[in-house]
Amino acid sequence: MSTLIAIIIGALVAAGVYCLLRRSLMKLVIGIALLGQAVNLLVFSANGLKSANPPLIEASAKTLAEGTADPLPQALVLTAIVIGFGLISFSLALMGVTYQKTGHDDIDALTNTDT
Amino acid sequence: MKSTILDVTARLLLPWLFFTSLFILYRGHNLPGGGFIGGLVGASGFILLVMGPGLEAAKRALRVDPFSLIGVGLLLAVLSGIGGVFMGNAFMAGLWLPTFSLPLLGTVHLGTPLIFDIGVYLVVMGFTLAMIFSLSEADS
Amino acid sequence: MNNLILLPVFIPFVAAIIGLIFRTLPVQRTLGLIGMAAATISAILLLNVVMEQDYLVLSLGAWQAPFGIVLVADLLSAIMVLISCIMGILVMLFSVQSVDNARQKTFYYPLYSMLIMGVNGAFLTGDIFNLYVWFEVMLIASFVLISLGADRAQLEGAFKYMVLNLVSSLLFLAGAGLLYAKVGTLNMADIALKLAIQPDSFLINSTAILFLISFGVKAAIFPFFFWLPASYHTPPTAISAIFAGLLTKVGVYTLMRSFTLFFNQSFEFLQDILLILAALTMLTGVLGAAAQYNIRRILSFHIISQIGYMIMGLALLTPLALAGTVFYLVHHIIVKTNLFLVGGVIEKVKGTGELSKIGGLYRALPFLALLFFIPAFSLGGIPPLSGFWAKFALVKASIDAEVFWITAVSLIVGVMTLFSMTKIWAEAFWKDAPEETENKVEPKTLKLMYAPIAIMVLMTLYLGLFGQGMFEVAERAADQLLNPEGYIQAVIPQSTEAISKL
């Protein structure tokens, strides 16, 4: 299973970098989204993939029982997904405004502020 | 494209989705659920209104500005943390009322984490709606 | 008592929230200014407490470290928080008159408060994932600020700024995830402890490189600096001034924190890389500036070359070098913000920052010339101004460490910095105006823009003439950085036994 996840992460990164290197603004945003998903998956699988019980403490117990999953990567990934959601929606809005102002979806048209 | 079925369903579903979201919010402390998911479910009712009857209907149904929702939600979340400071403890330390029983709800366990969760609920709902509203405004 | 550490983060946040609820400009502006002033006072108190007891730790929600999120203030954090709050209020005062009303009305003050909150949070947190969250708070606020108003140039700049910073955040997140996979904790002190007990050079080196690239993009070190000169000259001056002062320095701070706290085992491997990067950063920055003829573009390139000095101090990792770096950080934040603001006044009065289109400002605005002269020559390292002492400490440290080639590079870059500053001086202030141009605004009406600049100039003078006290504090901060045991013990008191075994 870890191998499969590793391959998926690799494929997502490859696709993301490919999109980042294209000339279209839309593909740039898609590329960031793909890279974000790859990193989320990496963090999610950080503590190993194993089948385990949900990390909920029984009503009668004080601590987690044996054989439960590590809740931390899940919490981290949830936070990262929410932050990523906000950033992607902002970049989509920015892309929309840029497209309206410049009339281009082409990154090569955006070189006026470079030196 | 107007669809009468979607219009009517959206109007019918709105109160149901809203109360479901409140239920999800309430049960979230010890069970799956909570402010985040509750907020998304609550927002989905209004998003259905945007898709069916239209943006104006959704804004009328919401009554308040989504940005104010974000502000109030953040304020609630912050206030829930201050309680711990006044009790001489760290910021965000939880404070609990004694538990009591109510019909329908069973044992009730109220405390500052619930206030925090309500804050999260309002922020998520406000943010989602602010985004959807402004995107559909740009669309039309 | 420990909750004091929260105030510099908390107060701007509350000011921003109330500004979101009451959406009129006067309310937002007053709240923003009051909030920043209160945050500054709390930062002064925090520095006082930290001076007395070395460390201040707060476990949020009373969840003890290493399980809960902790906020930690050591001397370096406390100094950085104070300086960011001071710059925060001064630049906010400046923006009251300099940013146009349309922009101010679109949540300018709440966003600005959020930005300062994110910066302070990044300085204070003791948890690696929490650091990521503060980075994102800071980034989202800065994305909106840089694209506020949506000029065409601004949108272009914002896109470049956004894409590179997002990629850098993702690399940092990946690094944090890998670190968690290996050591099973996110608390910085706990990571340091676990890595000290069980060193694993392969893991440390690979993660350290991920962190170096990620923080390097934020700090704009070579070869990750391209976004900075492409974007910093596009938004209104107040915004680019606060970005120039604070945001890259957050990257430098996190580099210092992570490389002294938990990547210190493999420092031989990293030292050469850091030194070479520092030299290249200094050189590219100053050479880039030499080719520019717009005030803000020149200053943007100079941020890069100055970052190189700080990285050089970090790479040498001797007490003197680190003390010099801390001093350099403080000096550079004040001076660079100051220069951007002077550039802003010139652009406001003359309508442009192109050196070929302005001139004769020495005669027209003698007071402004003085306000430019002092920080500019402080940046160039002329004694007895603050930049001289900062550079002197670093150069001396590099000679003591017998890395003479970096000494040579830093001296050459110092001379070339001076060349750039004299270029602005000669072109904008000394040469005759190319044609008689009307002032766009009567300079006498810009009192609120002059006041913050004058205060910063006084701060620069004070740091230069009476810098002894500040340098002693910087030495203590460097001492804390070089002996991370104190930090670890303050965060995790039960670790005493484990530390004594090291």
Side-chain angles (χ1 to χ4, degrees):
Chain A
M1 193 62 188
S2 300
T3 327
L4 181 64
I5 294 287
I7 292 171
I8 295 176
I9 294 173
L12 278 171
V13 171
V17 171
Y18 177 72
C19 284
L20 277 181
L21 297 178
R22 299 290 297 271
R23 275 175 54 179
S24 143
L25 279 182
M26 186 65 218
K27 296 205 171 73
L28 195 70
V29 176
I30 293 175
I32 295 173
L34 285 175
L35 272 183
Q37 297 312 321
V39 173
N40 286 348
L41 209 53
L42 176 72
V43 175
F44 179 70
S45 55
N47 221 19
L49 294 162
K50 49 184 189 274
S51 62
N53 296 322
L56 292 170
I57 299 174
E58 295 294 321
S60 54
K62 284 276 177 204
T63 51
L64 269 183
E66 283 294 306
T68 46
D70 184 354
L72 204 58
Q74 303 175 16
L76 300 188
V77 123
L78 185 62
T79 316
I81 288 174
V82 174
I83 292 175
F85 167 61
L87 288 173
I88 289 298
S89 51
F90 175 78
S91 40
L92 279 175
L94 186 63
M95 191 202 75
V97 179
T98 315
Y99 180 70
Q100 278 173 1
K101 286 261 163 151
T102 61
H104 281 290
D105 184 39
D106 186 352
I107 292 175
D108 274 9
L110 301 182
T111 51
N112 296 324
T113 68
D114 288 344
T115 44
Chain B
M1 191 186 70
K2 263 310 202 190
S3 152
T4 318
I5 299 176
L6 187 60
D7 277 19
V8 175
T9 332
R11 283 181 206 280
L12 281 179
L13 274 177
L14 178 67
W16 288 103
L17 282 169
F18 187 66
F19 282 111
T20 314
S21 75
L22 289 183
F23 174 67
I24 293 174
L25 163 72
Y26 174 73
R27 86 196 279 266
H29 188 64
N30 283 325
L31 291 164
F36 187 80
I37 305 167
L40 283 180
V41 173
S44 67
F46 295 97
I47 296 172
L48 269 181
L49 275 191
V50 176
M51 289 160 70
L55 184 59
E56 285 312 308
K59 279 187 175 165
R60 263 203 310 280
L62 186 64
R63 283 158 206 266
V64 286
D65 185 57
F67 278 102
S68 309
L69 276 186
I70 300 179
V72 173
L74 286 173
L75 198 63
L76 274 182
V78 163
L79 287 179
S80 78
I82 294 183
V85 177
F86 285 119
M87 302 299 284
N89 209 331
F91 182 72
M92 284 280 167
L95 294 175
W96 296 95
L97 283 176
T99 50
F100 53 93
S101 285
L102 275 184
L104 270 179
L105 291 177
T107 327
V108 182
H109 203 58
L110 291 182
T112 49
L114 181 65
I115 302 179
F116 183 83
D117 237 14
I118 295 173
V120 172
Y121 175 89
L122 291 177
V123 172
V124 171
M125 195 157 153
F127 173 74
T128 317
L129 289 179
M131 198 185 70
I132 296 286
F133 284 1
S134 63
L135 281 182
S136 55
E137 249 165 28
D139 228 27
S140 53
Chain C
M1 183 62 198
N2 286 5
N3 286 308
L4 172 65
I5 187 175
L6 200 67
L7 289 181
V9 182
F10 188 72
I11 297 172
F13 185 45
V14 173
I17 295 171
I18 302 179
L20 267 182
I21 302 175
F22 300 99
R23 297 174 57 185
T24 57
L25 181 56
V27 175
Q28 289 181 348
R29 183 186 285 158
T30 327
L31 268 173
L33 287 170
I34 293 175
M36 283 316 305
T40 311
I41 293 168
S42 70
I44 294 171
L45 292 175
L46 178 65
L47 183 61
N48 257 331
V49 174
V50 174
M51 291 275 275
E52 265 167 38
Q53 40 176 282
D54 287 337
Y55 298 97
L56 194 62
V57 181
L58 172 70
S59 310
L60 288 175
W63 296 95
Q64 290 309 314
F67 303 109
I69 293 172
V70 288
L71 295 183
V72 190
D74 66 350
L75 265 176
L76 176 63
S77 324
I79 295 171
M80 296 304 289
V81 166
L82 178 59
I83 199 77
S84 93
C85 284
I86 295 176
M87 289 304 119
I89 183 147
L90 290 179
V91 178
M92 197 185 253
L93 266 180
F94 183 87
S95 50
V96 169
Q97 232 177 13
S98 74
V99 180
D100 52 300
N101 253 354
R103 283 198 176 89
Q104 286 197 29
K105 273 183 186 146
T106 32
F107 295 111
Y108 176 79
Y109 293 96
L111 283 166
Y112 187 100
S113 301
M114 288 273 188
L115 179 77
I116 301 293
M117 168 179 100
V119 171
N120 284 347
F123 286 147
L124 286 173
T125 184
D127 183 283
I128 209 122
F129 191 76
N130 200 229
L131 179 63
Y132 167 75
V133 175
W134 287 125
F135 267 151
E136 298 301 318
V137 170
M138 188 178 96
L139 281 185
I140 293 178
S142 66
F143 290 163
V144 186
L145 279 176
I146 203 174
S147 53
L148 211 61
D151 273 359
R152 196 190 145 132
Q154 255 183 297
L155 290 171
E156 279 187 27
F159 230 99
K160 291 160 194 166
Y161 176 74
M162 185 187 77
V163 171
L164 279 165
N165 274 292
L166 280 184
V167 172
S168 119
S169 294
L170 290 176
L171 287 177
F172 175 49
L173 185 58
L178 289 177
L179 205 55
Y180 178 74
K182 185 67 186 182
V183 295
T185 178
L186 289 166
N187 185 295
M188 288 188 200
D190 204 26
I191 292 173
L193 198 63
K194 294 231 163 85
L195 285 181
I197 294 169
Q198 250 184 343
D200 176 338
S201 63
F202 177 71
L203 169 87
I204 299 178
N205 289 347
S206 55
T207 320
I209 292 297
L210 269 180
F211 276 40
L212 175 65
I213 295 175
S214 158
F215 297 152
V217 173
K218 293 197 194 303
I221 66 178
F222 183 88
F224 315 114
F225 61 86
F226 296 100
W227 56 273
L228 194 149
S231 62
Y232 269 22
H233 60 91
T234 55
T237 325
I239 297 173
S240 41
I242 197 72
F243 282 18
L246 294 180
L247 296 194
T248 46
K249 261 54 87 187
V250 178
V252 176
Y253 165 83
T254 45
L255 275 175
M256 288 174 80
R257 176 65 71 214
S258 57
F259 281 71
T260 55
L261 188 60
F262 46 83
F263 293 136
N264 47 6
Q265 280 96 21
S266 56
F267 208 81
E268 289 82 31
F269 161 70
L270 292 165
Q271 187 162 31
D272 292 337
I273 298 181
L274 277 176
L275 273 177
I276 293 167
L277 286 183
L280 289 172
T281 310
M282 286 189 250
L283 282 173
T284 43
V286 87
L287 290 176
Q292 296 298 323
Y293 288 92
N294 173 303
I295 294 179
R296 268 205 275 171
R297 289 188 189 221
I298 295 175
L299 292 175
S300 301
F301 269 105
H302 273 294
I303 300 175
I304 299 166
S305 76
Q306 307 290 313
I307 294 287
Y309 281 98
M310 298 169 207
I311 303 298
M312 164 186 156
L314 173 64
L316 292 170
L317 206 73
T318 60
L320 181 63
L322 276 182
T325 310
V326 176
F327 193 83
Y328 211 113
L329 271 168
V330 175
H331 140 78
H332 180 252
I333 290 178
I334 298 170
V335 165
K336 183 58 75 180
T337 315
N338 190 344
L339 287 173
F340 264 90
L341 294 188
V342 173
V345 174
I346 295 176
E347 281 181 23
K348 194 87 180 170
V349 174
K350 291 291 173 194
T352 175
E354 293 294 330
L355 288 179
S356 57
K357 292 185 189 148
I358 51 179
L361 290 175
Y362 182 61
R363 189 177 305 154
L365 305 165
F367 186 53
L368 187 71
L370 178 73
L371 292 182
F372 176 81
F373 181 84
I374 291 171
F377 284 75
S378 175
L379 191 77
I382 299 292
L385 296 164
S386 59
F388 170 73
W389 304 112
K391 283 205 174 73
F392 178 73
L394 289 177
V395 167
K396 171 111 175 23
S398 68
I399 293 174
D400 288 349
E402 298 183 345
V403 196
F404 297 115
W405 62 272
I406 197 97
T407 317
V409 172
S410 64
L411 288 175
I412 293 169
V413 171
V415 174
M416 290 170 72
T417 309
L418 203 56
F419 161 73
S420 267
M421 289 301 122
T422 19
K423 181 168 85 184
I424 302 184
W425 177 255
E427 292 280 323
F429 290 90
W430 255 5
K431 82 162 189 240
D432 289 333
E435 69 245 31
E436 278 308 309
T437 45
E438 287 284 300
N439 287 349
K440 303 251 180 208
V441 201
E442 185 53 42
K444 286 207 170 58
T445 59
L446 301 177
K447 287 209 176 61
L448 265 179
M449 291 168 75
Y450 272 103
I453 301 177
I455 296 173
M456 284 181 206
V457 168
L458 287 179
M459 286 167 73
T460 312
L461 278 177
Y462 180 82
L463 266 188
L465 300 176
F466 309 98
Q468 179 75 20
M470 179 61 218
F471 204 85
E472 275 163 15
V473 179
E475 276 179 328
R476 271 184 65 194
D479 188 50
Q480 285 187 344
L481 286 178
L482 282 172
N483 300 299
E485 295 83 18
Y487 184 97
I488 298 172
Q489 201 171 359
V491 177
I492 314 172
Q494 63 270 29
S495 68
T496 323
E497 214 175 306
I499 292 176
S500 61
K501 276 189 212 140
L502 295 182

